[in-house]
C-alpha cells in the first residue's frame, strides 16, 4: 500500500499563533512531498514542493516565511503556518511520492485549519 | 506550461444514467493525465491515469477515460451512476513525462439523484 497521514485532521487556533501540520508516509519512503491548499469549493493550489534534506521550492505568490516547510526525513514533512490570520483558514493537503517505483502522488486526508 | 479546464462546475444525473465529466488540457509536452475523486473533508483518491500507451484507460469504481490528443481532451465516463458516486472530481495534468507537479482543474461536483 501507499498510505499518507496528516495530523491534526482539524485545528482551530487564535490569530497570531503558529500551527504545525504533519504529513507522514506510513508504509513507504517519500523522496518528495507536496503541499496544497484548497479553498472552499475550489480546486487544489500547489504551495510548495518538499524534498528530503533540502529547502522546499515554493510556488509563485506563496510566502516562504509564512508557510515554513521542513522535510527532515523520508517519511515526514511538516508545514508550519506562522502568525496565522483568518485568511489562512483553509484545507491543507499533502501528497508524497515513493522513493522507489512509479512517481505517483499519494494524498493525505487533509487538515482543516480555522483561524479565529 | 500546463493547464486544465473542466467544463461544468456542477453535473447532476439520475441514478443509473451515464456520467460524463469533461476535461480539456493544455500542455507543451506529452502530458500525463489524471482523474481524482474527493469526498467531503477528505483527501484525493486516484480514479485513473493516462501516461503512455492505450488511450482508453479504465479505473476504479467502473470509471474510464479516453485520451484524445487531437481534441486535447480526457473526459471521464461511467455507464451507470450510483448514489455513492456523488463527490467532487478533479482532472489534473503533469508534464515532462513524470508525475511531478500536478496542475488541477477547478473541479466538477457530481450529484446523483434517485
Amino acid at each position: 500500500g501507499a498510505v499518507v497521514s496528516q495530523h491534526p485532521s482539524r485545528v482551530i487556533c487564535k490569530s497570531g499563533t503558529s500551527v504545525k501540520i504533519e504529513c507522514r508516509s506510513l508504509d513507504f519512503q517519500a523522496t518528495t512531498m507536496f503541499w496544497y491548499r484548497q479553498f472552499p469549493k475550489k480546486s487544489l493550489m500547489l504551495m510548495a514542493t518538499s524534498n528530503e534534506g533540502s529547502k522546499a521550492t515554493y510556488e509563485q505568490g506563496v510566502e516562504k516565511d509564512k508557510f515554513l516547510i521542513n522535510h527532515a526525513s523520508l517519511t515526514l514533512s511538516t508545514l508550519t503556518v506562522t502568525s496565522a490570520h483568518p485568511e489562512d483558514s483553509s484545507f491543507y493537503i499533502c501528497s508524497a511520492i515513493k522513493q522507489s517505483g512509479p512517481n505517483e502522488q499519494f494524498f493525505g486526508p487533509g487538515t482543516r485549519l480555522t483561524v479565529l | 506550461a500546463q493547464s486544465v479546464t473542466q467544463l461544468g462546475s456542477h453535473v447532476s444525473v439520475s441514478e443509473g444514467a451515464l456520467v460524463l465529466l469533461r476535461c480539456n488540457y493544455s500542455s507543451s509536452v506529452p502530458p500525463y493525465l489524471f482523474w481524482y475523486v474527493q469526498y467531503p473533508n477528505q483527501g484525493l483518491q486516484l480514479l485513473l491515469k493516462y501516461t503512455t500507451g492505450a488511450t482508453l484507460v479504465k479505473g476504479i469504481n467502473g470509471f474510464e477515460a479516453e485520451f484524445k490528443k487531437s481534441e486535447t481532451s480526457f473526459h471521464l465516463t461511467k455507464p451507470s451512476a450510483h448514489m455513492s458516486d456523488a463527490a467532487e472530481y478533479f482532472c489534473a495534468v503533469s508534464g515532462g513525462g513524470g508525475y511531478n507537479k500536478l496542475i488541477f482543474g477547478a473541479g466538477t461536483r457530481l450529484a446523483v439523484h434517485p
Side-chain angles (χ1 to χ4, degrees), chain A residues 25-72:
Chain A
S25 55
L26 298 184
D27 52 1
F28 65 97
Q29 293 186 320
T31 50
T32 303
M33 291 184 171
F34 300 88
W35 286 97
Y36 296 86
R37 182 173 181 177
Q38 186 178 30
F39 292 98
K41 299 182 180 180
K42 297 290 185 182
S43 187
L44 281 75
M45 179 191 76
L46 179 64
M47 299 175 65
T49 302
S50 169
N51 292 295
E52 185 267 337
S54 62
K55 290 184 178 180
T57 302
Y58 291 82
E59 295 299 302
Q60 190 172 11
V62 178
E63 300 177 60
K64 61 180 181 181
D65 295 329
K66 173 76 172 176
F67 299 99
L68 300 179
I69 292 173
N70 185 289
H71 194 159

Side-chain angles (χ1 to χ4, degrees), chain B:
Chain B
Q2 288 82 35
S3 66
V4 176
T5 301
Q6 290 184 240
L7 297 176
S9 59
H10 290 81
V11 171
S12 182
V13 300
S14 299
E15 190 173 20
L18 171 71
V19 175
L20 171 60
L21 305 182
R22 300 178 186 274
C23 172
N24 288 89
Y25 70 91
S26 172
S27 179
S28 56
V29 297
Y32 283 16
L33 294 158
F34 308 81
W35 275 101
Y36 288 90
V37 61
Q38 184 181 35
Y39 297 97
N41 294 311
Q42 294 186 26
L44 274 66
Q45 180 182 9
L46 180 67
L47 280 177
L48 49 78
K49 62 181 183 285
Y50 167 79
T51 55
T52 58
T55 56
L56 181 62
V57 181
K58 294 186 183 298
I60 62 172
N61 302 339
F63 285 94
E64 62 181 38
E66 186 171 9
F67 170 61
K68 292 187 177 181
K69 184 178 179 180
S70 61
E71 299 177 8
T72 61
S73 69
F74 191 57
H75 301 330
L76 181 70
T77 61
K78 181 173 181 177
S80 177
H82 192 272
M83 297 296 288
S84 61
D85 294 326
E88 188 86 21
Y89 291 81
F90 293 97
C91 182
V93 64
S94 70
Y99 292 80
N100 292 340
K101 198 167 182 178
L102 292 172
I103 305 299
F104 286 88
T108 297
R109 181 165 298 276
L110 174 67
V112 182
H113 51 85

